[in-house]
Amino acid sequence: MTERCERNAGLLGAVVLPGRVPDPRPGLTQAVTAERTGLGTVWLSERWGTKDLPSLAGAVAQPTSRIRVVGVADFQIRHPIGLASLGSTLQALTGGRFALAFGRGAGAFPVGRGLGLPYPTSQRIIDHVAIVRRLWAGETVRYDGPAGSFPSMRMADIPDLAPPELLFAAIGPRSLRLAGAHFDGVVLHPMLTPEAVSRSAATVRDAARKAGRDPAEVRVYASALIAPDLTPQDEDAVIGGRAVTYLQAPGYGELIARANGWDPAPLQQLRTHPALAHLGRELADQEFLRHQLADVSRTLPPTWLKTTTVAGSAEACARFLHGYLDSGADEIVINGTTPDLLQPTIQAFQAAHSGDLRCPRKSHQHQT
């Protein structure tokens, strides 16, 4: 079987095709650039329309040969055997370089309820994880419970590779504990302060310990929103526009504020901004591109952006990334800026951290 170290997973990864895109083809060039510049992982976030995960990940797998590919999907929009098949097919296409991540997903928001998705309770998530892992192990699964009713499921063809790692995107303490107890790693949300990352990592590892797992085997991925060496206009779009899409989301913004110890009152000012007031509980990133929200971001307290994002020189961005490692993260997901603009930052990061492309810890037995 392919060893996880052979996937060249390092300390830094980057999101390709961040946000809304009308054309997904630049993602292939971005992935190739990410591999060439020394990043360990490319992250693909599914978005309905032009960012279908299996199509995009399968395409990205072909022009790359070493870089790890992580796909972030909504687990409830696919039948469990479809989700398991997605993972095993992409693991085979990448030669063992694929990992699958998901969070509570669209079902936690009005857009998901409009699609008929049920609310993603913790037990639904736990049972989905267990079902997928059993299918990857070649078992016949019969299940009737919170995840649905499935009389008999089995996959006939399973690649001779370790199954993909399963990661969970989390903000609040309940989700962090779920990740520590049931997943191979946790993906923290962008716009967390270093102190919030430290608290989150401690919560995840404590949950792993209480579940009888080795806390060191649950990887913590901190997400960093950075804008290195960009024009002021592009900085505003990358940092300010993206911050608005995160914080405007009802319930979501409160989770981020609570994690950082912020007074959530400014969120109401943001949501009642003249450009956003008509949205109600709908999401800003369903209607606006990030550059259209740059001016709206000036509603936010300046300290919120100063303590959770960075714009400026490559050296300043590299220092910010190291701050997350010092706070307990194992790896960092760079968000907002595509890999073709990251080479100076990567070089500055490498200069400050010798041997940055170290292998992750060895895989461990999955526990559910």
Side-chain angles (χ1 to χ4, degrees):
M1 288 189 179
T2 303
E3 290 292 330
R4 294 193 193 276
C5 282
E6 294 173 2
R7 295 189 295 192
N8 193 32
L11 297 179
L12 294 181
V15 175
V16 302
L17 298 175
R20 294 173 58 186
V21 295
D23 182 358
R25 289 174 293 181
L28 306 187
T29 302
Q30 292 172 19
V32 170
T33 300
E35 183 170 86
R36 188 181 69 246
T37 55
L39 289 171
T41 310
V42 289
W43 293 75
L44 309 168
S45 182
E46 186 164 53
R47 190 184 186 98
W48 304 319
T50 57
K51 291 168 64 175
D52 175 66
L53 177 60
S55 303
L56 190 57
V60 163
Q62 300 318 294
T64 60
S65 60
R66 301 181 309 278
I67 199 166
R68 191 179 184 215
V69 179
V70 180
V72 183
D74 190 320
F75 75 99
Q76 293 196 120
I77 67 169
R78 294 181 177 88
H79 191 284
I81 200 166
L83 189 64
S85 180
L86 178 158
S88 60
T89 300
L90 288 169
Q91 186 73 324
L93 280 172
T94 60
R97 293 183 286 134
F98 183 69
L100 180 61
F102 53 81
R104 294 194 181 270
F109 298 97
V111 63
R113 291 190 283 278
L115 295 169
L117 298 177
Y119 184 81
T121 65
S122 294
Q123 195 59 54
R124 284 182 64 85
I125 295 167
I126 291 167
D127 288 2
H128 265 89
V129 168
I131 289 169
V132 168
R133 284 181 172 150
R134 290 178 62 191
L135 291 169
W136 283 341
E139 296 182 30
T140 297
V141 178
R142 298 178 178 86
Y143 174 91
D144 186 15
S149 183
F150 311 110
S152 183
M153 299 182 292
R154 181 176 177 272
M155 295 198 303
D157 300 307
I158 301 172
D160 186 24
L161 295 164
E165 288 183 323
L166 281 173
L167 314 177
F168 192 62
I171 308 175
R174 183 176 58 173
S175 293
L176 293 168
R177 289 192 292 269
L178 190 153
H182 298 280
F183 285 80
D184 299 304
V186 62
V187 187
L188 303 181
H189 199 277
M191 293 198 68
L192 294 185
T193 65
E195 294 79 13
V197 169
S198 179
R199 290 191 295 268
S200 299
T203 298
V204 170
R205 289 167 181 146
D206 181 62
R209 187 179 300 106
K210 289 178 178 176
R213 310 177 69 194
D214 180 356
E217 295 295 337
V218 182
R219 295 190 70 76
V220 175
Y221 299 82
S223 298
L225 186 57
I226 68 172
D229 295 323
L230 301 183
T231 66
Q233 183 179 12
D234 286 340
E235 284 182 2
D236 284 346
V238 169
I239 300 296
R242 179 64 65 210
V244 170
T245 64
Y246 294 148
L247 296 168
Q248 176 271 342
Y252 217 63
E254 281 77 6
L255 284 172
I256 295 171
R258 193 175 302 123
N260 288 327
W262 295 338
D263 177 359
L267 296 175
Q268 182 61 20
Q269 294 175 280
L270 174 68
R271 292 165 184 157
T272 56
H273 186 283
L276 305 182
H278 69 285
L279 292 175
R281 297 190 62 80
E282 298 300 320
L283 303 181
D285 75 344
Q286 297 290 316
E287 183 166 331
F288 296 97
L289 298 173
R290 61 186 183 181
H291 73 270
Q292 296 172 313
L293 296 170
D295 286 340
V296 179
S297 70
R298 292 178 177 82
T299 305
L300 299 171
T303 56
W304 284 18
L305 298 184
K306 288 180 180 178
T307 56
T308 62
T309 70
V310 65
S313 69
E315 291 75 17
C317 291
R319 287 194 297 272
F320 181 79
L321 299 178
H322 275 289
Y324 279 154
L325 290 181
D326 294 340
S327 296
D330 295 301
E331 300 183 33
I332 300 170
V333 185
I334 298 174
N335 208 327
T337 301
T338 52
D340 50 301
L341 301 174
L342 288 174
Q343 187 165 3
T345 301
I346 296 168
Q347 291 173 339
F349 181 91
Q350 291 173 348
H353 189 101
S354 60
D356 75 306
L357 290 183
R358 65 189 182 191
C359 288
R361 304 176 183 97
K362 286 193 174 184
S363 62
H364 54 283
Q365 292 296 314
H366 296 305
Q367 301 184 36
T368 58

